[in-house]
Amino acid sequence: MSPNGSDRSSRRPMRRKLPQVLTAGLILATATGCTYKDFPRLGMPTPVTEEAPRILSLWQGSWAAALATGVLVWGLIIWSVIFHRRSRTKVEVPPQTRYNMPIETLYTVVPLIIVSVLFYFTARDESKLLHLDDKPAHTVNVVGYQWSWGFNYIEDVKGSDKDDAKTAKELESIPDKFRDAFPSNAGGVYDVGTPGQRNPQNNNPGPTLWLPKGEKVRFVLTSRDVIHSFWVVPFLMKQDVIPGHTNAFEVTPNKEGTFMGKCAELCGVDHSRMLFNVKVVSPERYQKHLEDLAKKNQTGYIPAGIEQTKHEKNRETNNL
């Protein structure tokens, strides 16, 4: 058999499998359970805070830039394959392009421009998302530990006569720049979770963090042991919970409901069990929940975590 005949016979099985491959790809693309309304979000959940649309916009813009770059690169590849393929009649090596300064400048400058634009929008949005008000409406100290979460509601709660949050021994590891913003006479209440705990309404695993709709909440993140990551999925934002260092960010929930949260940092053997729920309710229902915790004698605070390291204390002081 001639070499050409051998090539044709070897290509036939590949051509027969092509429809099967295309069908499998179509099934993978359409079997995700998404509707046409989900496609503009490009895999992101529906935002439930006032800050989340900014993150979604950055996500969509990054995808648009990546797609435009991909189309350009794919187009150049296809163009070169079609118009610079080997001729059947000519076997000589085609002219080679070397040391072409305009072309080399182009493929050096264009990537720098793309990265600079992405960096600008990322830095702009990050500064907005991490901005902290002088006096937030509510403050919750989120405590991560193996293998669950605790929540210190730093509020002046009716029925709680414990020490003020600014002087509470359990919160000494939190830097002064955060403690100074705590409300006065905030005896506070707490809720502490276990991996086997369940939300009584939807039976989802983990403890439940309650938040008021339409009011800004500051999360002060501390850890008792290793690095965790506080992630409420429809908030579209997560932040590391680091021992010896305190992080914080603020959100304003704008949709009532119960949402899923999880640890997004591999923190040990039972990392997958570090789940929690976030229940957004009316401000009146939120205050009622805090009073219910006080009636259960869950007043005061659980230990926030590992004390700030000397290096971090110096850095915090210099940045004040």
Side-chain angles (χ1 to χ4, degrees):
M1 183 179 291
S2 67
N4 290 337
S6 176
D7 290 343
R8 291 194 188 100
S9 61
S10 62
R11 290 173 184 171
R12 286 172 186 169
M14 295 181 63
R15 291 177 179 175
R16 292 172 183 171
K17 292 180 179 179
L18 183 60
Q20 300 175 5
V21 174
L22 293 176
T23 302
L26 181 62
I27 292 173
L28 289 174
T30 58
T32 59
C34 298
T35 66
Y36 71 94
K37 295 181 180 179
D38 297 322
F39 283 114
R41 296 197 306 274
L42 301 173
M44 283 286 193
T46 303
V48 298
T49 68
E50 293 182 3
E51 296 77 12
R54 178 181 292 273
I55 302 173
L56 179 60
S57 177
L58 180 63
W59 172 258
Q60 292 169 323
S62 300
W63 268 101
L67 182 60
T69 304
V71 169
L72 175 63
V73 173
W74 298 330
L76 290 174
I77 292 174
I78 294 173
W79 175 80
S80 64
V81 168
I82 295 175
F83 293 98
H84 293 280
R85 65 187 186 277
R86 180 179 178 182
S87 173
R88 295 181 178 179
T89 58
K90 299 179 181 179
V91 295
E92 69 274 8
V93 177
Q96 303 296 299
T97 302
R98 296 188 182 92
Y99 308 113
N100 188 306
M101 290 304 297
I103 293 178
E104 292 188 6
T105 302
L106 179 67
Y107 65 63
T108 301
V109 172
V110 170
L112 288 175
I113 293 175
I114 294 173
V115 172
S116 299
V117 171
L118 291 174
F119 177 83
Y120 165 76
F121 285 106
T122 302
R124 182 200 65 180
D125 291 344
E126 182 179 353
S127 65
K128 290 287 186 180
L129 294 167
L130 296 181
H131 173 74
L132 301 178
D133 290 349
D134 293 334
K135 294 291 183 180
H138 305 278
T139 300
V140 179
N141 170 217
V142 177
V143 183
Y145 51 88
Q146 297 170 318
W147 309 100
S148 192
W149 302 88
F151 308 114
N152 285 321
Y153 296 92
I154 303 175
E155 306 248 2
D156 183 11
V157 181
K158 182 179 179 181
S160 177
D161 57 355
K162 297 297 183 179
D163 292 339
D164 182 14
K166 295 183 179 181
T167 59
K169 183 177 181 181
E170 293 83 0
L171 305 181
E172 286 181 350
S173 61
I174 298 176
D176 291 340
K177 72 171 185 176
F178 296 123
R179 297 175 69 184
D180 291 342
F182 290 169
S184 301
N185 301 319
V189 292
Y190 69 87
D191 196 5
V192 60
T194 61
Q197 194 171 345
R198 294 273 176 175
N199 183 289
Q201 292 181 326
N202 54 22
N203 203 38
N204 285 346
T208 300
L209 168 65
W210 289 57
L211 300 176
K213 176 185 175 183
E215 298 183 356
K216 181 161 288 188
V217 180
R218 174 181 295 180
F219 297 113
V220 178
L221 310 177
T222 57
S223 171
R224 290 186 189 173
D225 36 54
V226 299
I227 298 178
H228 303 283
S229 186
F230 180 71
W231 181 25
V232 183
V233 178
F235 284 9
L236 309 189
M237 182 171 178
K238 59 187 176 182
Q239 198 169 46
D240 282 350
V241 185
I242 304 173
H245 173 76
T246 304
N247 282 329
F249 70 96
E250 297 175 351
V251 299
T252 305
N254 57 10
K255 182 179 180 181
E256 292 190 13
T258 302
F259 310 104
M260 182 177 65
K262 59 179 70 177
C263 177
E265 184 78 27
L266 182 58
C267 56
V269 64
D270 281 337
H271 159 71
S272 62
R273 302 181 69 190
M274 287 199 63
L275 306 174
F276 63 96
N277 304 277
V278 173
K279 187 176 180 64
V280 180
V281 296
S282 66
E284 297 77 17
R285 184 69 186 89
Y286 172 74
Q287 291 298 330
K288 178 65 167 56
H289 174 68
L290 299 187
E291 293 174 7
D292 290 342
L293 292 177
K295 291 177 181 178
K296 296 177 182 177
N297 293 323
Q298 294 177 222
T299 56
Y301 304 103
I302 60 173
I306 296 176
E307 186 178 358
Q308 199 91 331
T309 61
K310 183 177 180 181
H311 170 76
E312 283 298 319
K313 282 183 178 179
N314 294 336
R315 190 183 68 85
E316 299 285 359
T317 302
N318 294 333
N319 288 339
L320 290 178

